Amino acid sequence: MNPISLFFLAMAMSTDAFAAAIGKGSSLHKPRFSEALRTGLIFGVIEAITPVVGWGIGQAAVRYVENWDHWIAFGLLLALGLHMIYNGLKHEDEAEEKASQHSFLILAVTAFATSIDAMAVGVGLAFVDVNILVAAAAIGMATCVMVTVGVMLGRVLGAVVGKRAEIAGGVVLMLVGAAILYEHLTAV
């Protein structure tokens, strides 16, 4: 995977966490940078671990699907991208209860929920030539930065930008999947 694709993958993987961070930031009264950074670090670490777990699962299956690996990576990223776009477009009818403070457990559960797609991406990355540690570090750092910024912007921007960020992330994931497919098909 080339560095540009890796950059866009890392950014796409962090957009759902960014959307969640905007929600977390909007539920706090004037969030401090220390709270935003703490939230970013929790999300970043979890988001970096999950693609490695997925990659390990994918490595176990790679010898069985080697001839179709690029199509599997494309299909996974396409499905995840479409799911993110769907979530970004659907309307939330029920009002969410605002938290008075964010505990580690609540942040960790939220971070894990937003990183499930990173685990699936990790499975897809097992089928392409990529250094998983570099990819995971890029995803974790991008998530840390975007979540920190998201918490700080949350109070000002609210849920509107969060939904748009999730839609943009879905589009980028689909483009990364198309780039993987294109790279493989043109290399043959």
Side-chain angles (χ1 to χ4, degrees):
M1 178 176 285
N2 66 43
I4 293 171
S5 293
L6 183 58
F7 170 78
F8 283 114
L9 175 67
M11 295 305 291
M13 295 312 310
S14 59
T15 56
D16 54 348
F18 176 72
I22 289 174
K24 292 294 182 192
S26 68
S27 70
L28 295 173
H29 178 68
K30 296 182 183 177
R32 294 183 171 168
F33 180 75
S34 60
E35 175 66 16
L37 184 59
R38 176 178 162 264
T39 303
L41 289 171
I42 292 168
F43 273 70
V45 167
I46 291 173
E47 193 87 21
I49 291 170
T50 54
V52 175
V53 171
W55 181 82
I57 293 167
Q59 283 294 310
V62 74
R63 66 176 174 235
Y64 302 109
V65 292
E66 222 167 343
N67 292 331
W68 300 96
D69 57 2
H70 51 285
W71 287 103
I72 292 169
F74 171 71
L76 284 171
L77 291 172
L78 178 68
L80 290 169
L82 289 172
H83 181 70
M84 286 176 69
I85 291 169
Y86 170 76
N87 284 338
L89 292 174
K90 74 178 182 179
H91 296 286
E92 301 284 334
D93 291 333
E94 54 198 56
E96 290 185 23
E97 186 177 313
K98 289 189 174 187
S100 60
Q101 64 177 342
H102 299 307
S103 70
F104 175 80
L105 181 61
I106 289 172
L107 291 176
V109 168
T110 305
F112 182 73
T114 62
S115 70
I116 295 297
D117 55 346
M119 188 178 303
V121 166
V123 171
L125 290 177
F127 303 120
V128 296
D129 184 28
V130 64
N131 182 331
I132 190 59
L133 296 178
V134 171
I139 292 168
M141 287 189 299
T143 300
C144 180
V145 169
M146 287 186 72
V147 167
T148 301
V149 170
V151 169
M152 296 306 292
L153 291 176
R155 181 133 171 88
V156 175
L157 301 177
V160 173
V161 172
K163 291 290 186 183
R164 290 184 182 149
E166 194 163 13
I167 292 167
V171 170
V172 170
L173 271 184
M174 293 186 320
L175 290 173
V176 168
I180 289 170
L181 184 62
Y182 176 77
E183 285 178 17
H184 181 81
L185 293 177
T186 58
V188 175

